[in-house]
Amino acid sequence: MASRSTYWRKATSPGRSRPTRFGPTFDGRCPPSNTDRDSTRQRLCDWRGNGSVVIEVTDCMKLFELARERRWIPITGYVVYISALTAGYYYNLTFVQLGLIDLGTRLVGLSPAAVSMAMGVLALLTLFVAVASGVLLDRRGWSTDLYVKFRLLFGIILVQLVLTAVAPYVTSPEAFGLWVVVCSVTLGVGIPVTFSFMIDFIPVRDRGYVAAVVAGLSFFVAALYPMEWRIEEFSTVMAAAMVPAVIVLGGVAFRRTDIVDELARQHETYGTGRFCRSQPIGTTSVTFWALVVLMFGVFFIDSLGFLRIIETPTYIYTSWQSPDLSVRLFIAVTHLVGALFAGVLYTNFDRKWLFLWVFGLFAFTHLQYVFHLRFGSDGTPPLLMPMFYVLAVSFYTTLNFALWPDLSTTETIGTHTALGVGIAGWLATFLSTALALYSEGVELSFLDHLTYVNALALLFAVSLPVLLYVHRMVELVREGATS
């Protein structure tokens, strides 16, 4: 089966510009390098007489090319990345975000308001440690040293193994506070370490698809297991899963091997992100911080509504906490399909359209819940409602895994992933979770709470295209002024 399509068109003369049918305008001169192996589209130039032939090649996934060439070591990098990120995100999604609530309220006996404050502390400490770690990784050159990152990951998982094992025995507020602080440190260091693996293992043109696999698998497993979100179940299962990971990481992190040596050199090819090809995006640039704000809004809206939805009896039977396995399987499969669809969209469309779809899906989803609360029956709501919610979550999670490495180079990957994931991911998630717990503690009605969430989603959904339009108008004015 053909893996690529080749198109060509002959220019009239070497020095004359002429647009081609399948690409931009060429002036008869070849690009600086004949091929760009990591771009989605390759352009090859071949001189023929007094004209030039411009050939544009559209590639499939780099993974398929590696498989045909039987290059198993780079393929191993895909497996390592998907395994590490899927396990890490599942752990954070379930054990930390949801298990922490059970630990604080049921075992320690704290009020929802006190637990919300602890989660706020967790978010702020995680952000601070993540940014400090990311900056340090970049300045020391450790962002491109795979052995250093493996050793850091080994230490992180080892400490988290201890935290996971002792969690059921935390019964006092003091021990709970200490547990939260130590957990924040491991999470903070882990953010730039794990997310920067993208430049070591995944080619640029495959990042959307690989991010989709990570997001889909994480939510697929989380939707099916555990059936009850109790810290005891989390502790036993997660500790058992961490033991072999610690053993394997200890073997590869402290002993040089040919396989890791080859993987450690791949950042030289994969290091420049998709959106940094023409010009690197700086940490202080408006583009970077605009995307941080947008991702913050996405995570905040999701977590703010999610916690109240899954704790409302009417909606338990169509959520992750449903006792019906068929409902959970539907949600799990929808997560997987939605993530894969998001991977295709990320690879083929600009990032601004993905944000527009995500905010639109969230606004539509929460609007459904509001209408169901106001005008619906008291029975179980249709699965169409959680389906749209699941699709929105899968979309933005895929975007979160792929976006920050694609906004980075080898010099900025640690800092950008720390700021992006730390602010837009952890800070937004735990602040909104804390706010949701607070609203529950002050007995704010579910309808009022969801109305506020929906208004926030609509605000972002409407504001984004307006801001894009204004930005485009400013660009046109500047172009007119310089011409």
Side-chain angles (χ1 to χ4, degrees):
M1 184 173 64
S3 63
R4 61 184 67 181
S5 301
T6 304
Y7 310 105
W8 63 273
R9 180 164 184 167
K10 184 173 181 179
T12 54
S13 63
R16 181 178 177 183
S17 298
R18 180 173 178 176
T20 66
R21 179 182 178 187
F22 300 101
T25 301
F26 296 96
D27 61 0
R29 294 173 293 179
C30 290
S33 60
N34 285 344
T35 62
D36 178 3
R37 293 185 178 272
D38 291 323
S39 63
T40 303
R41 292 181 180 273
Q42 296 181 5
R43 297 191 186 110
L44 311 177
C45 285
D46 182 24
W47 291 100
R48 299 287 174 85
N50 60 352
S52 68
V53 175
V54 178
I55 304 174
E56 188 172 281
V57 182
T58 303
D59 285 304
C60 63
M61 286 185 68
K62 180 76 172 181
L63 177 63
F64 298 149
E65 179 183 327
L66 296 172
R68 286 195 308 270
E69 298 173 356
R70 299 180 181 274
R71 296 173 59 190
W72 305 121
I73 292 180
I75 292 176
T76 303
Y78 283 77
V79 177
V80 172
Y81 180 84
I82 292 173
S83 302
L85 272 292
T86 300
Y89 196 69
Y90 173 82
Y91 177 84
N92 296 329
L93 183 68
T94 56
F95 188 84
V96 178
Q97 184 178 354
L98 301 172
L100 186 62
I101 298 173
D102 180 65
L103 174 62
T105 55
R106 185 174 60 86
L107 292 185
V108 181
L110 297 175
S111 65
V115 175
S116 68
M117 289 183 61
M119 298 190 78
V121 171
L122 176 70
L124 292 174
L125 282 177
T126 299
L127 172 61
F128 175 79
V129 176
V131 174
S133 302
V135 173
L136 183 63
L137 286 173
D138 286 340
R139 290 185 177 180
R140 293 291 183 89
W142 292 343
S143 294
T144 56
D145 191 327
L146 187 57
Y147 281 100
V148 170
K149 290 191 286 189
F150 273 156
R151 290 164 190 160
L152 289 172
L153 185 60
F154 170 80
I156 292 167
I157 297 180
L158 184 60
V159 175
Q160 287 182 339
L161 173 59
V162 176
L163 291 173
T164 305
V166 303
Y169 305 101
V170 175
T171 56
S172 67
E174 294 77 14
F176 180 71
L178 179 61
W179 194 95
V180 167
V181 170
V182 177
C183 184
S184 300
V185 174
T186 61
L187 294 174
V189 177
I191 288 173
V193 169
T194 54
F195 276 77
S196 66
F197 279 147
M198 186 76 89
I199 67 170
D200 299 299
F201 300 133
I202 310 301
V204 173
R205 70 171 180 254
D206 288 4
R207 289 180 177 176
Y209 302 116
V210 173
V213 172
V214 172
L217 288 178
S218 301
F219 284 113
F220 183 87
V221 178
L224 294 176
Y225 185 85
M227 293 300 290
E228 292 186 11
W229 288 343
R230 295 169 63 89
I231 198 69
E232 292 87 352
E233 290 188 28
F234 286 152
S235 177
T236 303
V237 175
M238 294 306 299
M242 286 179 176
V243 171
V246 170
I247 295 173
V248 172
L249 273 172
V252 300
F254 298 98
R255 182 175 176 271
R256 301 194 72 90
T257 62
D258 293 338
I259 294 178
V260 179
D261 285 342
E262 181 172 339
L263 292 173
R265 291 190 294 269
Q266 291 189 146
H267 72 270
E268 299 171 0
T269 305
Y270 304 159
T272 303
R274 168 186 171 188
F275 303 117
C276 294
R277 288 301 176 84
S278 58
Q279 182 178 358
I281 295 177
T283 307
T284 58
S285 66
V286 175
T287 298
F288 178 77
W289 285 102
L291 294 172
V292 170
V293 171
L294 288 175
M295 284 301 295
F296 182 94
V298 170
F299 274 92
F300 192 87
I301 291 168
D302 174 31
S303 297
L304 191 60
F306 175 72
L307 192 62
R308 292 294 299 268
I309 289 174
I310 63 173
E311 292 185 350
T312 301
T314 306
Y315 300 107
I316 283 179
Y317 292 96
T318 55
S319 73
W320 280 13
Q321 285 191 322
S322 173
D324 189 344
L325 183 60
S326 62
V327 173
R328 288 199 171 204
L329 184 60
F330 171 79
I331 292 175
V333 173
T334 305
H335 265 302
L336 189 60
V337 174
L340 295 177
F341 185 52
V344 174
L345 293 176
Y346 178 85
T347 304
N348 293 280
F349 288 88
D350 190 75
R351 55 188 182 264
K352 59 178 177 286
W353 296 110
L354 295 178
F355 278 110
L356 189 60
W357 288 330
V358 169
F359 286 123
L361 281 172
F362 268 129
F364 178 69
T365 299
H366 288 109
L367 194 62
Q368 289 184 95
Y369 280 98
V370 170
F371 272 101
H372 186 267
L373 284 169
R374 288 187 179 275
F375 310 110
S377 63
D378 295 332
T380 302
L383 286 176
L384 187 67
M385 292 168 59
M387 184 190 75
F388 280 103
Y389 196 104
V390 165
L391 289 175
V393 171
S394 296
F395 268 51
Y396 86 73
T397 307
T398 300
L399 183 61
N400 185 56
F401 279 114
L403 179 63
W404 309 116
D406 272 346
L407 291 172
S408 308
T409 63
T410 54
E411 290 78 23
T412 59
I413 181 69
T415 305
H416 283 189
T417 54
L419 288 170
V421 180
I423 295 176
W426 279 101
L427 185 62
T429 296
F430 283 97
L431 287 181
S432 59
T433 301
L435 184 58
L437 288 173
Y438 177 79
S439 71
E440 185 180 9
V442 298
E443 298 182 351
L444 181 70
S445 70
F446 178 55
L447 176 59
D448 289 340
H449 178 89
L450 214 59
T451 300
Y452 295 143
V453 177
N454 186 53
L456 189 60
L458 285 171
L459 176 64
F460 273 92
V462 173
S463 299
L464 181 58
V466 173
L467 292 175
L468 289 174
Y469 176 80
V470 171
H471 176 68
R472 182 55 182 163
M473 292 299 101
V474 171
E475 286 185 337
L476 291 176
V477 171
R478 289 177 177 176
E479 291 176 0
T482 57
S483 62

